[in-house]
Amino acid sequence: MKILVDVALTDAQLTRIREAGGEAAVVVETETAAMNREVREADVVFGQFNPDLFELGGQLRWVQTLGAGVDTLLFEDFVKSEIVLTSEKGYVGPHL
């Protein structure tokens, strides 16, 4: 399994993701070209997501966004796919 983290995180946050991911490879790329390359073999995207990553991510199974609002991600092909979408709504919801 491969997890693509496409946002800047602290070392402590990355450590938690690596621990939770077990044997999964965790790849951190924040530049567009590198994200587009790495998403081709990723099972999970953690951070940002868009139609380009969807089109290139041939084996994606899960997208975790860093925000409560996901309206821009609800494009037709993604909605029809089997990819699970989760967001931070539970984390940021109470103060919204």
Side-chain angles (χ1 to χ4, degrees):
M1 176 181 280
K2 179 177 176 179
I3 301 169
L4 171 59
V5 176
D6 63 6
V7 293
L9 298 176
T10 66
D11 289 340
Q13 291 168 323
L14 284 173
T15 296
R16 290 184 68 194
I17 291 171
R18 287 187 172 106
E19 289 172 354
E23 298 293 319
V26 178
V27 177
V28 180
E29 294 292 352
T30 58
E31 298 296 323
T32 300
M35 289 174 5
N36 289 346
R37 182 180 62 249
E38 294 294 338
V39 76
R40 295 176 193 275
E41 297 177 350
D43 300 282
V44 178
V45 170
F46 181 93
Q48 304 174 41
F49 194 66
N50 59 50
D52 291 338
L53 290 175
F54 173 78
E55 289 297 324
L56 295 169
Q59 63 187 42
L60 280 177
R61 299 185 324 204
W62 178 25
V63 173
Q64 168 65 50
T65 64
L66 297 181
V70 295
D71 295 352
T72 61
L73 300 181
L74 300 179
F75 50 93
E76 186 175 356
D77 288 340
F78 185 46
V79 170
K80 289 181 178 179
S81 77
E82 296 293 319
I83 301 169
V84 174
L85 172 64
T86 54
S87 71
E88 285 192 339
K89 183 179 181 198
Y91 177 72
V92 299
H95 65 271
L96 289 177

